[in-house]
Amino acid sequence: MKYIQSDKNPQVKQWKKLLTRKERDKSGMFLVEGFHLVEEALTKKEDVEEIILSEKTELPPGLDYGEIPVTVVTDEISKQLADTETTQGIFAVCQQPKNTETNGKTFLLIDSVQDPGNLGTMIRTADAAGIDAVIVGKGSVDMYNPKVLRSAQGSHFHMPVLSGDLSEWINKLQAENIPVYGTALENGVVFTEAEKGEAFALLVGNEGSGVNKELLAKTTQNLYIPIYGKSESLNVAVAAGILLYYLKTAK
Amino acid sequence: MKYIQSDKNPQVKQWKKLLTRKERDKSGMFLVEGFHLVEEALTKKEDVEEIILSEKTELPPGLDYGEIPVTVVTDEISKQLADTETTQGIFAVCQQPKNTETNGKTFLLIDSVQDPGNLGTMIRTADAAGIDAVIVGKGSVDMYNPKVLRSAQGSHFHMPVLSGDLSEWINKLQAENIPVYGTALENGVVFTEAEKGEAFALLVGNEGSGVNKELLAKTTQNLYIPIYGKSESLNVAVAAGILLYYLKTAK
């Protein structure tokens, strides 16, 4: 195993750049941190370029990393790569999947969600609900942001999670006769009236302003969740969970 | 209006102590921050002791604060009282409601939830779902933690949110013929099989270990949400949302 001691090492500098969205977008790479996420990343070995291990961390005995190179670094470098305050000292450098094709029947489309915890939780929820693919539109927080990866708890590696133009996706899905349900209080019907079917796409939007109006105008139908009490709205990840499970189990 | 310039002022010291759970428990007081939460707090004026305003913040013209004293402080003191990085410079010092009686029909019982965002989001969701009261058991994060208050977006002021012994609450509810639904993968039924009715209590638990087994053993029935994909579990606030809305709209 290679051992790197200096944080001036060019490879270390390159890894540290992956903490920024700019560099992740440019390089098409991202970094995952912690035993659980590294293990999840290794379920798609073809996308893992290398594993980084703090000198203070033991490589877990059962970890199946195949031919993937492991580089040991000082604890100090490990802390510099970490997004968490108490890092487990293990990282994987991964390629962002390039394949943007999917022939699923159920989709979650995400428009301009800003909070990394919300985006990650929605990716996790879509996975739990057995959704075939998640499409993240422009204006959302980066799906490879460390906090998004943590909140999603490995679901990025369980199904396609793609960047995409949501307007084009709505056209494409509707051309395949897949109904696209927007979420909006205006011109919507209560969600329990949504038609039941094997195939559907759910479109959710920004925490404050909701789904972009131009996208809402293109949907098959817009749904709302009734507010029975005095709160003004639901958290977007909670709303996505209620609607995905309704659509999934309504059949 | 009183004007305080020194952060050595005993009143300022007392307010700052309210940032700790220990002092909130001892004094029975808590602090809310920001225009929206102060406005929500003022819907229950009898529980608001005073308003604190940074010298850099204008008192909003429409703010109905009645006879409640307003103290102006320096921007520096305002920052010391704030839990957020960019504070709006307005606070309310509130009494924790003392009344622990409620004669509602629908309840959310929360056991040992650790994450303030999760607890706050569940309080907000229970409010949205029109739940009559939320009972927070021992071992949970303090419901008056600033991040809980922020995530709940004012729902603390919309319905009773009480500390309580969950075991006693389960007894009490069952004695009133209100079914208590636990959440557990073992010995549970899929949630869509829960019996429908006007009255119910939902019991959710810790992010990692779920609901305490002794509590689960006492419930009327335990429910689970099927995982159709590869994620191991759902976020507890998302799960609470799915179940509350199912129970609420199933009828």
Side-chain angles (χ1 to χ4, degrees), chain A residues 154-208:
Chain A
S155 291
H156 285 75
F157 305 107
H158 297 167
M159 68 194 155
V161 182
L162 312 171
S163 291
D165 181 308
L166 297 180
S167 181
E168 286 173 18
W169 269 94
I170 294 172
N171 293 342
K172 179 177 133 81
L173 292 167
Q174 287 178 331
E176 292 173 24
N177 289 316
I178 296 177
V180 179
Y181 297 110
T183 45
L185 279 173
E186 287 168 34
N187 302 317
V189 301
V190 58
F191 70 99
T192 46
E193 286 178 22
E195 238 178 84
K196 300 167 185 187
E198 287 293 315
F200 62 85
L202 177 70
L203 167 63
V204 297
N206 180 267
E207 289 88 348

Side-chain angles (χ1 to χ4, degrees), chain B residues 103-157:
Chain B
N103 44 20
K105 287 185 165 180
T106 53
F107 295 84
L108 175 63
L109 313 186
I110 299 176
D111 174 38
S112 301
V113 164
Q114 293 301 308
D115 181 81
N118 283 340
L119 181 57
T121 301
M122 285 194 281
I123 293 170
R124 175 181 173 191
T125 304
D127 180 13
I131 298 304
D132 295 323
V134 176
I135 317 298
V136 182
K138 280 169 209 149
S140 282
V141 59
D142 180 19
M143 68 173 95
Y144 299 111
N145 171 304
K147 194 168 187 312
V148 174
L149 290 162
R150 270 204 305 287
S151 301
Q153 297 196 358
S155 291
H156 285 76
F157 305 106

Side-chain angles (χ1 to χ4, degrees), chain A residues 36 121 124-125 127-130 155 158 191 225-235 237-238 241-242 245 248-249, chain B residues 36 121 124-125 127-130 155 158 191-192 225-235 237-238 241-242 245 248-249:
Chain A
H36 179 68
T121 300
R124 176 181 173 191
T125 305
D127 180 12
S155 291
H158 297 167
F191 70 99
I225 300 175
I227 302 290
Y228 299 110
K230 294 180 208 149
S231 77
E232 285 167 19
S233 62
L234 284 160
N235 166 278
V238 172
I242 293 168
Y245 266 88
K248 190 70 189 187
T249 57
Chain B
H36 178 67
T121 301
R124 175 181 173 191
T125 304
D127 180 13
S155 291
H158 298 166
F191 71 99
T192 46
I225 299 175
I227 301 289
Y228 299 111
K230 293 180 208 149
S231 75
E232 286 166 20
S233 61
L234 284 160
N235 167 277
V238 172
I242 293 168
Y245 266 89
K248 191 72 187 185
T249 56

Side-chain angles (χ1 to χ4, degrees), chain A residues 62-123:
Chain A
L63 195 75
D64 172 19
Y65 57 97
E67 306 284 307
I68 298 164
V70 178
T71 301
V72 177
V73 298
T74 62
D75 196 47
E76 180 52 36
I77 293 174
S78 161
K79 282 179 182 154
Q80 291 177 22
L81 296 177
D83 185 66
T84 55
E85 279 178 37
T86 52
T87 179
Q88 293 178 322
I90 187 165
F91 306 83
V93 182
C94 305
Q95 284 178 28
Q96 299 177 13
K98 285 177 203 78
N99 188 358
T100 57
E101 291 298 308
T102 171
N103 43 22
K105 286 185 166 179
T106 52
F107 296 83
L108 176 62
L109 314 186
I110 298 176
D111 175 39
S112 303
V113 165
Q114 293 301 308
D115 180 81
N118 283 340
L119 181 57
T121 300
M122 285 195 280
I123 293 170

Side-chain angles (χ1 to χ4, degrees), chain B:
Chain B
M1 292 181 197
K2 197 157 70 174
Y3 179 46
I4 300 182
Q5 282 183 287
S6 163
D7 63 5
K8 306 243 166 13
N9 179 295
Q11 203 168 4
V12 173
K13 284 186 180 173
Q14 183 56 33
W15 294 331
K16 278 162 75 174
K17 282 191 190 165
L18 291 178
L19 295 174
T20 68
R21 177 172 193 165
K22 193 179 163 190
E23 183 64 22
R24 290 192 296 265
D25 285 348
K26 195 178 126 193
S27 64
M29 307 295 296
F30 66 105
L31 205 58
V32 303
E33 177 188 344
F35 293 115
H36 178 67
L37 287 182
V38 169
E39 201 172 29
E40 291 280 358
L42 286 171
T43 60
K44 293 175 78 185
K45 282 199 188 59
E46 63 280 14
D47 288 341
V48 181
E49 294 220 336
E50 57 189 318
I51 291 169
I52 308 164
L53 197 69
S54 160
E55 60 191 352
K56 291 202 174 168
T57 300
E58 294 280 333
L59 204 56
L63 195 74
D64 171 20
Y65 57 97
E67 306 285 305
I68 298 164
V70 178
T71 302
V72 177
V73 298
T74 62
D75 195 47
E76 180 52 35
I77 293 174
S78 161
K79 282 179 183 156
Q80 291 176 22
L81 296 177
D83 185 66
T84 54
E85 279 178 36
T86 51
T87 179
Q88 292 177 322
I90 185 165
F91 306 83
V93 183
C94 305
Q95 283 178 28
Q96 300 177 14
K98 284 177 202 80
N99 187 357
T100 58
E101 291 298 307
T102 170
N103 44 20
K105 287 185 165 180
T106 53
F107 295 84
L108 175 63
L109 313 186
I110 299 176
D111 174 38
S112 301
V113 164
Q114 293 301 308
D115 181 81
N118 283 340
L119 181 57
T121 301
M122 285 194 281
I123 293 170
R124 175 181 173 191
T125 304
D127 180 13
I131 298 304
D132 295 323
V134 176
I135 317 298
V136 182
K138 280 169 209 149
S140 282
V141 59
D142 180 19
M143 68 173 95
Y144 299 111
N145 171 304
K147 194 168 187 312
V148 174
L149 290 162
R150 270 204 305 287
S151 301
Q153 297 196 358
S155 291
H156 285 76
F157 305 106
H158 298 166
M159 68 194 155
V161 182
L162 312 171
S163 291
D165 181 307
L166 296 181
S167 181
E168 286 172 18
W169 269 94
I170 295 172
N171 293 343
K172 178 177 133 84
L173 293 167
Q174 287 178 333
E176 292 172 24
N177 289 318
I178 296 178
V180 180
Y181 297 110
T183 46
L185 279 172
E186 288 167 34
N187 301 318
V189 301
V190 58
F191 71 99
T192 46
E193 285 177 23
E195 235 178 88
K196 300 166 186 187
E198 287 293 314
F200 63 84
L202 176 71
L203 167 63
V204 298
N206 179 266
E207 288 88 345
S209 55
V211 177
N212 181 304
K213 285 208 163 47
E214 287 173 27
L215 296 177
L216 282 182
K218 299 182 66 166
T219 57
T220 314
Q221 190 170 39
N222 292 322
L223 309 179
Y224 72 88
I225 299 175
I227 301 289
Y228 299 111
K230 293 180 208 149
S231 75
E232 286 166 20
S233 61
L234 284 160
N235 167 277
V236 65
V238 172
I242 293 168
L243 294 172
L244 288 177
Y245 266 89
Y246 176 77
L247 291 166
K248 191 72 187 185
T249 56
K251 292 177 279 289

